[in-house]
């Protein structure tokens, strides 16, 4: 529904190759309208900012509304598939675990990687956390963390720096 609103199309009027679940579509449009993302079948300015973020819509809304000190946590959490998938079976996460919160634990894992072995750089002219290859690999092996997961988070969190976040939010994420 959000994609249809972005291009000003009502999916119920399209000749689709598979049947549209009209009830689910209507429900989605109603939810997005109630949340202020859609108005008269089109994205609002808020809806455009949320839709442009490289994360699922609920995370985009959280990023949009996050106070600057929370932006780094939300941006990282929005780009974590799961704590389990970013670590090996044998992992050493002592000092990073927050009981009851895989997202904050995963943020702590990422923050340690950045603080110990990362730096702010650019990829294709966009800001992004980068890592010293040998150091991050050694750290990841010791901690039982997958380097690819850390790099994926850096990519997603870096894109959040440049899509729709106001300057103070982007500055918070750059720290």
């Amino acid at each position: 529904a959000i994609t249809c609103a972005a291009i000003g199309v009502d999916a119920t009027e399209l000749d689709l190759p598979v049947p549209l679940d009209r009830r689910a579509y209507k429900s989605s449009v109603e939810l997005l309208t109630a949340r202020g993302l859609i108005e008269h079948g089109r994205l609002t300015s808020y809806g455009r900012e949320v839709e442009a973020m490289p994360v699922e819509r609920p995370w985009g809304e959280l990023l949009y509304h996050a106070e600057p000190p929370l932006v780094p946590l939300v941006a990282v959490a929005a780009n974590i598939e799961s704590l389990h998938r970013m670590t090996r079976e044998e992992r050493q996460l002592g000092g990073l675990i927050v009981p009851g919160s895989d997202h904050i634990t995963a943020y702590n894992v990422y923050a340690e990687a950045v603080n110990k072995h990362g730096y702010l750089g650019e990829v294709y002219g966009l800001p992004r956390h980068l890592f010293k290859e040998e150091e991050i690999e050694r750290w990841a092996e010791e901690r039982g963390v997958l380097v690819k997961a850390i790099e994926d988070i850096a990519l997603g969190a870096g894109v959040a720096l440049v899509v729709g976040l106001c300057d103070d939010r982007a500055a918070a994420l750059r720290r």
Side-chain angles (χ1 to χ4, degrees):
I2 199 166
T3 302
C4 288
I7 58 175
V9 172
D10 181 345
T12 62
E13 297 173 359
L14 299 175
D15 184 21
L16 300 170
V18 294
L20 176 68
D21 182 340
R22 291 178 181 274
R23 187 177 317 156
Y25 178 76
K26 181 181 181 214
S27 176
S28 183
V29 169
E30 288 172 355
L31 172 70
L32 296 171
T33 300
R35 299 207 51 79
L37 285 95
I38 294 177
E39 186 174 68
H40 307 296
R42 299 294 307 225
L43 289 180
T44 62
S45 59
Y46 168 58
R48 283 189 296 280
E49 291 205 31
V50 169
E51 196 270 337
M53 292 189 195
V55 296
E56 296 294 323
R57 182 203 46 84
W59 285 109
E61 287 193 69
L62 283 170
L63 269 170
Y64 182 90
H65 293 290
E67 294 294 324
L70 292 177
V71 169
L73 173 65
V74 176
V76 170
N79 286 285
I80 295 168
E81 190 172 340
S82 76
L83 178 61
H84 176 74
R85 289 202 174 127
M86 72 183 289
T87 58
R88 294 184 180 88
E89 193 170 317
E90 297 294 322
R91 53 190 166 268
Q92 303 299 322
L93 301 181
L96 304 176
I97 296 172
V98 175
S101 181
D102 282 0
H103 281 98
I104 297 176
T105 299
Y107 172 81
N108 287 343
V109 171
Y110 180 75
E112 182 176 275
V114 169
N115 291 332
K116 288 188 173 183
H117 309 293
Y119 58 97
L120 186 61
E122 286 189 359
V123 176
Y124 299 114
L126 301 175
R128 179 173 159 196
H129 289 136
L130 301 173
F131 300 92
K132 300 168 198 148
E133 190 173 344
E134 288 181 19
E135 292 179 25
I136 194 70
E137 287 176 8
R138 188 173 34 258
W139 171 85
E141 184 66 32
E142 291 169 4
R143 281 290 196 180
V145 174
L146 302 173
V147 172
K148 180 167 181 358
I150 296 297
E151 291 173 344
D152 288 349
I153 295 167
L155 176 63
V159 173
L161 287 170
V162 294
V163 286
L165 296 180
C166 65
D167 289 340
D168 56 345
R169 289 187 176 104
L173 190 53
R174 286 189 181 101
R175 288 186 211 128

